[in-house]
Amino acid sequence: MLEKNLKILDDVSRRSSAKIILALKGFAMWSTFDLVSKYLHGCTASGLWEARLAREEFCRFNEEAEVHTYSPAFKEEDIEQIARISDHIVFNSSGQLKRFYDKVKEINPKIHISLRVNPEVSSSPVDLYNPCAAYSRLGVTKENFDSALLEKLDGLNFHALCEQDADALEAVLAGFEEKFGAYIPKLKYVNFGGGHHITRKGYDVEKLIKIIQEFKERYNDIEVYLEPGEAVGWEVGYLEASVLDIVHNGMDIAILDTSAEAHMPDTLAMPYKAKVRGAAEPGEKPYTYRLGGNTCLAGDIMGDYSFDAPLEVGDRIVFEDQIHYTFVKNTTFNGIKLPSLAIKRKDGNIETIKEFGYEDYRDRLS
Ligand SMILES: *Cc1c(COP(=O)(O)O)cnc(C)c1O
């Protein structure tokens, strides 16, 4: 399933001539990077540790892979190492660019320099995930863009989408060009960020390819990057849990050996309701349950679902599409065990690649 997504991204890349890099923020299962690195051009990192992961675990399979590192604000103590292991560095403000430009160039003269700009156009569904919401700290607005810095720049980055289709990109790109178009002929590349829901069924891949091709035609075949995270891990795997107990309080409630808060954070933050294999909306099937997590947080609830048969202790519950933005974000809140990570191979074999223990909980505390 992962390879299926990678092939879609590879097809987009080949036909549009855009380079596609993996946003580690959304999917960092490095045990799959032997496969991912066959299809994608590198990684985008949000700071030193992700950049190291990209350099050490991705680039070893693909010498040509690129490491792009962006951070809302780089730290003095990290910048040397970041400059050494990155091919591209993306600053979030003119202040940071001015502060670190000479140092970064001195350490790595070949490094490409970019600035993230804010196109001030976005139709992101919720403000938590909207980098162009009012007072956003992410990217330089046109008003604050210092064109004197242009001679230092190889590229410009924007990132304004979240789980969106190609028409949303079209609108953002129009805003970007209206505000920053005059500078593009001076650049080597433009990075269109992430949030492109390319691997979702119904995503208009042809339109995306056309948008990129036409952009490249307008600007003398300039290099274009896309950096999706979610689209790489989209619908490639599930979280499997067990029913630990069934309690009753006005309705039937199943307590599971997992947690929405600790293991499926976006179900509470986004928020959205995960699909459960074989289950339907409450009341549609004969047996309705509220599914809850095994922490003491009252709101640790996955939602209400109905089933064909009564749930029993020990039954398995499968939450679909729990790969992107889950284990990159999960926590040991309340001392509950982190889910094991496993890969289901093409031959059907399930290989457990990571199990977590008490020490993982202990060692991140003090
Ligand atoms: C989060 C992020 C991405 C990846 O976004 P997805 O929604 O996972 O595709 C890419 N670029 C930047 C700058 C980001 O912050």
Side-chain angles (χ1 to χ4, degrees):
M1 292 166 90
L2 176 60
E3 193 166 30
K4 192 171 118 195
N5 282 354
L6 294 169
K7 283 184 168 155
I8 293 170
L9 296 170
D10 186 47
D11 173 64
V12 168
S13 173
R14 284 172 197 280
R15 290 201 285 138
S16 67
S17 305
K19 286 187 174 174
I20 303 186
I21 57 180
L22 163 67
L24 291 174
K25 185 183 76 197
F27 177 79
M29 195 172 190
W30 51 270
S31 52
T32 66
F33 285 179
D34 54 338
L35 180 71
V36 179
S37 61
K38 283 187 193 147
Y39 295 98
L40 302 186
H41 291 89
C43 298
T44 190
S46 342
L48 177 57
W49 287 0
E50 285 189 358
R52 257 191 80 174
L53 194 74
R55 180 56 66 200
E56 293 174 14
E57 303 300 334
F58 196 100
C59 297
R60 68 193 176 103
F61 298 108
N62 177 351
E63 278 176 14
E64 273 160 33
E66 301 170 10
V67 178
H68 295 231
T69 310
Y70 159 80
S71 175
F74 290 109
K75 291 160 81 173
E76 188 80 46
E77 69 206 59
D78 292 346
I79 200 75
E80 258 188 66
Q81 210 184 341
I82 286 174
R84 221 174 305 118
I85 63 178
S86 304
D87 302 294
H88 294 246
I89 187 162
V90 185
F91 293 100
N92 184 61
S93 73
S94 312
Q96 283 246 313
L97 173 62
K98 285 180 202 157
R99 193 167 309 133
F100 292 124
Y101 178 84
D102 288 339
K103 190 166 193 179
V104 160
K105 275 289 191 187
E106 189 191 308
I107 293 165
N108 181 356
K110 285 198 293 205
I111 199 165
H112 296 89
I113 307 281
S114 182
L115 185 67
R116 176 168 174 175
V117 295
N118 177 350
E120 296 176 78
V121 178
S122 173
S123 48
S124 198
V126 282
D127 268 0
L128 181 62
Y129 297 105
N130 185 359
C132 304
Y135 312 115
S136 172
R137 72 192 182 292
L138 304 170
V140 181
T141 56
K142 180 176 161 59
E143 197 193 331
N144 295 292
F145 185 81
D146 176 1
S147 57
L149 293 175
L150 207 57
E151 55 169 22
K152 293 187 167 31
L153 293 177
D154 299 295
L156 285 179
N157 281 46
F158 65 81
H159 168 71
L161 303 178
C162 176
E163 296 194 336
Q164 283 171 295
D165 216 313
D167 51 1
L169 170 64
E170 195 169 41
V172 169
L173 193 59
F176 168 74
E177 287 185 68
E178 186 201 313
K179 297 186 176 71
F180 301 99
Y183 310 127
I184 300 173
K186 301 224 159 61
L187 304 172
K188 296 194 191 107
Y189 66 89
V190 175
N191 184 320
F192 290 5
H196 316 276
H197 223 174
I198 302 169
T199 50
R200 189 195 60 211
K201 229 178 260 130
Y203 181 93
D204 194 345
V205 167
E206 299 308 320
K207 180 159 188 171
L208 172 65
I209 292 171
K210 190 158 167 274
I211 290 171
I212 298 168
Q213 283 172 339
E214 289 176 357
F215 184 84
K216 286 170 80 84
E217 274 164 30
R218 279 199 294 287
Y219 300 102
N220 197 24
D221 204 29
I222 190 168
E223 189 86 78
V224 170
Y225 286 94
L226 306 180
E227 46 179 36
E230 176 154 0
V232 177
W234 180 249
E235 291 186 338
V236 308
Y238 53 84
L239 172 69
E240 188 168 333
S242 306
V243 176
L244 297 177
D245 195 15
I246 311 237
V247 296
H248 312 279
N249 178 10
M251 68 183 298
D252 296 329
I253 304 153
I255 300 178
L256 310 180
D257 64 346
T258 186
S259 162
E261 170 72 16
H263 301 160
M264 309 161 68
D266 278 349
T267 62
L268 298 183
M270 184 76 175
Y272 75 99
K273 189 175 167 190
K275 279 211 177 79
V276 167
R277 197 171 295 174
E281 287 299 304
E284 280 181 18
K285 293 188 173 200
Y287 302 96
T288 292
Y289 292 84
R290 174 159 296 178
L291 301 183
N294 197 20
T295 72
C296 302
L297 175 72
D300 191 358
I301 301 293
M302 292 84 176
D304 297 348
Y305 298 86
S306 65
F307 298 84
D308 291 320
L311 289 183
E312 289 180 37
V313 170
D315 278 357
R316 309 295 273 173
I317 301 286
V318 173
F319 293 96
E320 301 287 8
D321 195 23
Q322 295 298 318
I323 292 290
H324 55 87
Y325 290 104
T326 52
F327 52 84
V328 288
K329 282 185 150 189
N330 62 15
T331 71
T332 54
F333 172 60
N334 229 180
I336 74 164
K337 190 178 177 178
L338 289 167
S340 304
L341 300 176
I343 298 178
K344 191 169 183 178
R345 300 287 175 195
K346 277 180 181 161
D347 62 12
N349 277 337
I350 295 182
E351 200 179 300
T352 301
I353 51 163
K354 179 84 183 165
E355 276 186 277
F356 298 89
Y358 164 67
E359 291 74 16
D360 296 293
Y361 164 69
R362 182 194 63 196
D363 291 349
R364 63 177 296 281
L365 302 170
S366 65

